[in-house]
Amino acid sequence: MAVSSSQCLRILSHSPSSPSFECRSDPDYSGSARFEKPRISYRRVPGAAASVYTFGGLSSLIFKFPPNFVRQLSTKARRNCSNIGVAQVVAASWSNNPASGSSSAAASGSAAAAAAAPASPVEISAGDEVAVVDGLNVQLEALADLKNEASFLSSDGSIAVHAGERLGRGIVTDAITTPVVNTSAYFFKKTAELIDFKEKRRASFEYGRYGNPTTVVAEEKISALEGAESTVIMASGMCASTVMFLALVPAGGHIVTTTDCYRKTRIFIETLLPKMGITATVIDPADMEGLESALKNNNVSLFFTESPTNPFLRCVDIKLVSDLCHKNGALVCIDGTFATPLNQKALALGADLILHSATKFIGGHNDVLAGCISGSEKLITQIRNLHHVLGGALNPNAAYLIIRGMKTLHLRVQQQNSTALRMAKILEAHPKVKRVHYPGLTSHPEHHIAKKQMTGFGGVVSFEVDGDLMTTIKFIDALKIPYIAPSFGGCESIVDQPAIMSYWDLSQSERLKYGIMDNLIRFSFGVEDFEDLKADMLQALETI
């Protein structure tokens, strides 16, 4: 392992007479002397400015832990601190030559008491609690779990920035940003450690498909926003939804869903679930009588819908639906991708699970695929166990992008909410627009529901221009700012024509069964300036 001077930890001698510490590019392992792991001991020298941490052959050197080292040694740090935090001790212990006289010379300049001190564990006090650094193994005996100490954060914006990181992060590091832990497996130093892990006496990881420190931070950040006990994050939104169906709906079970939904979800429900004997009742989002009938006449395991839905942005009364389903023993899962955790709190409204395609607003930069499900520990454990079998694990680099994206989530969503509402009103008043679908408009069929359960109406507006397929294509091609692309929720505006983008393989008559008309447009507003987007929209409308 090569270590440059710029990478070395600052190690200072408390004795002015001691020679300065020099760092080699590579430690010298040549010769008969065998390089051994440094022995770490602790002693406080009277009158010294700092505590002295002595190493084998380096007793004169002071190793200074970062100022917030104790704060970051949370219970969860057990799993990684020996790999990351104590690695700093190893780096700090390298001298010009461990076997040469240079380290002896350094030792001779130290206080006699420190030089004579036996190798003993380092005790780092934190009030009445102590963390012990014994050799190269860090054992945390009674440090409180700091997970709940973020309760002083009162706004979703602050939670999105700091949850899972500022307090209680399971990775011992002074980096502001969460490190990307690129590993496929985790090791145990002794079989006893592995057995302790298996019997849940030791917190750790085992295999990359089962968990990753970077991914855990992303999950905890989402849980904090949703007010959930637990969150599992996967490789895509579709991965999350399909694993959820398979985990919670038994063979021969029955589900209820809505007419307006993401097409790939509909395909899974209509073509793959029936192979396991799972049937479905499809209702209009506003049809509560249809829901009651389905619950009465079928052994319903799960009600699943988006709210708002894709692409017509229909809304369901989450509290009413949850009350009806729970009375009949059915679970409720809401796909809140269009709403985001900031605009709508489905769990607080009574839903059992909230699902997101984190690819969209949560990631927010059109650069990552991910999906997540949040809810009770019991339900998420069921989903997580099947997820570990099916294997749609999120890469830790993608988890890092989700974490980074969430730090600006509240800023982006605030801008997108505002732009979308203002543009929806402009479009509704324009003579070349036949209809606008947006829950923030009073003309929307579920505006009263959206107003009751949402704090913002989202950054996506669907509308129909006055024209046919080719007229709509002309309008879209005249736009200069948005990309013609699938997906939504990113910083860049995106526009698509569902008849061509998502339903192209169907005939016009088949598309109409799902309400997809040739002149329908879905516009995802990014974070560009409102006036620029307005001018672009109006000039494009003038071309048709």
Side-chain angles (χ1 to χ4, degrees):
M1 176 178 179
V3 179
S4 67
S5 297
S6 62
Q7 293 171 321
C8 270
L9 295 173
R10 184 184 299 272
I11 299 183
L12 306 173
S13 171
H14 80 280
S15 172
S17 62
S18 298
S20 60
F21 181 80
E22 297 179 5
C23 204
R24 289 181 57 84
S25 298
D26 293 285
D28 188 356
Y29 298 109
S30 62
S32 58
R34 180 172 176 267
F35 180 78
E36 296 181 354
K37 295 178 179 179
R39 301 183 308 278
I40 309 170
S41 61
Y42 166 89
R43 179 151 184 163
R44 184 176 298 279
V45 178
S51 302
V52 176
Y53 296 82
T54 63
F55 304 85
L58 292 174
S59 59
S60 68
L61 303 177
I62 299 174
F63 178 77
K64 300 179 71 176
F65 281 101
N68 58 350
F69 184 77
V70 174
R71 172 180 61 75
Q72 292 190 344
L73 283 178
S74 67
T75 301
K76 295 177 184 176
R78 302 178 192 186
R79 62 183 79 146
N80 297 299
C81 56
S82 61
N83 295 341
I84 301 172
V86 180
Q88 299 175 355
V89 177
V90 178
S93 70
W94 287 348
S95 63
N96 289 342
N97 187 339
S100 71
S102 59
S103 51
S104 298
S108 66
S110 66
S120 60
V122 179
E123 292 189 358
I124 307 167
S125 295
D128 295 330
E129 299 169 326
V130 174
V132 180
V133 183
D134 185 7
L136 289 182
N137 299 321
V138 176
Q139 299 173 342
L140 307 174
E141 295 300 333
L143 290 179
D145 189 349
L146 299 174
K147 180 176 180 180
N148 296 322
E149 290 193 14
S151 58
F152 66 89
L153 300 176
S154 60
S155 71
D156 283 343
S158 298
I159 290 172
V161 173
H162 291 299
E165 297 183 280
R166 188 72 172 91
L167 296 170
R169 180 163 57 193
I171 305 172
V172 178
T173 173
D174 275 339
I176 291 176
T177 55
T178 292
V180 179
V181 181
N182 278 318
T183 186
S184 59
Y186 306 84
F187 72 92
F188 299 86
K189 289 181 282 298
K190 297 179 180 179
T191 302
E193 288 187 356
L194 174 58
I195 294 173
D196 284 345
F197 166 72
K198 291 292 187 180
E199 295 184 352
K200 303 187 184 304
R201 292 188 298 271
R202 175 186 176 88
S204 184
F205 292 98
E206 178 183 359
Y207 186 53
R209 195 172 76 246
Y210 306 151
N212 177 279
T214 312
T215 302
V216 166
V217 171
E219 291 175 339
E220 291 185 353
K221 197 177 284 289
I222 294 167
S223 289
L225 277 181
E226 291 289 5
E229 289 181 356
S230 184
T231 293
V232 57
I233 193 166
M234 304 183 199
S236 70
M238 275 305 299
C239 180
S241 60
T242 54
V243 172
M244 182 272 300
F245 280 124
L246 296 176
L248 299 182
V249 183
H254 193 87
I255 65 173
V256 178
T257 189
T258 55
T259 51
D260 191 33
C261 69
Y262 178 52
R263 190 182 176 206
K264 292 299 188 292
T265 305
R266 190 198 328 272
I267 289 173
F268 183 80
I269 291 172
E270 291 178 347
T271 64
L272 295 177
L273 288 183
K275 294 181 180 180
M276 290 169 279
I278 298 173
T279 53
T281 297
V282 183
I283 63 172
D284 185 90
D287 187 5
M288 291 301 98
E289 290 184 2
L291 174 60
E292 289 183 277
S293 175
L295 291 167
K296 180 180 179 181
N297 298 319
N298 302 278
N299 184 18
V300 178
S301 303
L302 176 73
F303 173 83
F304 173 81
T305 188
E306 302 157 9
S307 187
T309 61
N310 183 16
F312 294 109
L313 307 172
R314 300 288 302 277
C315 299
V316 299
D317 189 326
I318 298 174
K319 186 179 185 306
L320 177 57
V321 164
S322 299
D323 289 343
L324 289 173
C325 289
H326 292 161
K327 288 177 182 177
N328 291 272
L331 297 172
V332 174
C333 179
I334 301 295
D335 182 334
T337 302
F338 278 84
T340 79
L342 302 185
N343 288 331
Q344 182 174 273
K345 305 289 188 185
L347 298 181
L349 292 167
D352 300 289
L353 296 164
I354 177 67
L355 183 148
H356 294 278
S357 171
T359 305
K360 312 304 192 292
F361 289 100
I362 289 178
H365 289 76
N366 291 318
D367 59 2
V368 62
L369 293 175
C372 61
I373 311 173
S374 303
S376 69
E377 187 71 43
K378 179 181 178 181
L379 290 176
I380 296 301
T381 296
Q382 288 181 248
I383 298 168
R384 194 188 301 274
N385 288 341
L386 181 59
H387 164 55
H388 290 169
V389 173
L390 297 179
L394 186 70
N395 184 280
N397 295 279
Y400 172 84
L401 292 176
I402 295 296
I403 295 166
R404 183 212 59 180
M406 289 185 69
K407 292 178 187 293
T408 59
L409 178 63
H410 62 298
L411 302 175
R412 292 184 283 104
V413 169
Q414 181 180 11
Q415 173 78 0
Q416 289 163 316
N417 284 345
S418 173
T419 297
L421 179 58
R422 294 168 72 184
M423 284 304 310
K425 292 178 179 179
I426 291 172
L427 289 169
E428 190 172 47
H430 200 283
K432 294 184 179 180
V433 175
K434 294 181 67 175
R435 188 177 180 185
V436 179
H437 307 272
Y438 187 68
L441 297 176
T442 56
S443 58
H444 189 277
E446 284 87 44
H447 173 69
H448 63 291
I449 295 174
K451 190 176 180 180
K452 178 177 63 175
Q453 66 188 24
M454 300 180 74
T455 56
F457 304 110
V460 178
V461 178
S462 294
F463 58 98
E464 302 156 26
V465 296
D466 188 7
D468 56 11
L469 184 73
M470 296 309 298
T471 303
T472 309
I473 290 173
K474 185 178 181 180
F475 163 75
I476 288 177
D477 288 348
L479 291 165
K480 299 177 180 179
I481 293 178
Y483 291 91
I484 302 173
S487 197
F488 56 89
C491 291
E492 300 87 357
S493 290
I494 285 179
V495 65
D496 81 81
Q497 189 174 354
I500 295 177
M501 182 68 71
S502 302
Y503 292 83
W504 180 249
D505 58 312
L506 301 181
S507 66
Q508 185 181 52
S509 59
E510 290 173 324
R511 293 196 296 267
L512 287 174
K513 293 178 183 178
Y514 301 109
I516 305 300
M517 295 168 287
D518 291 343
N519 62 344
L520 178 66
I521 295 166
R522 191 184 69 180
F523 200 115
S524 171
F525 291 97
V527 297
E528 300 95 344
D529 183 78
F530 168 76
E531 293 298 334
D532 288 337
L533 288 167
K534 174 184 173 182
D536 191 30
M537 186 77 76
L538 294 178
Q539 68 82 22
L541 286 170
E542 289 303 313
T543 66
I544 61 175

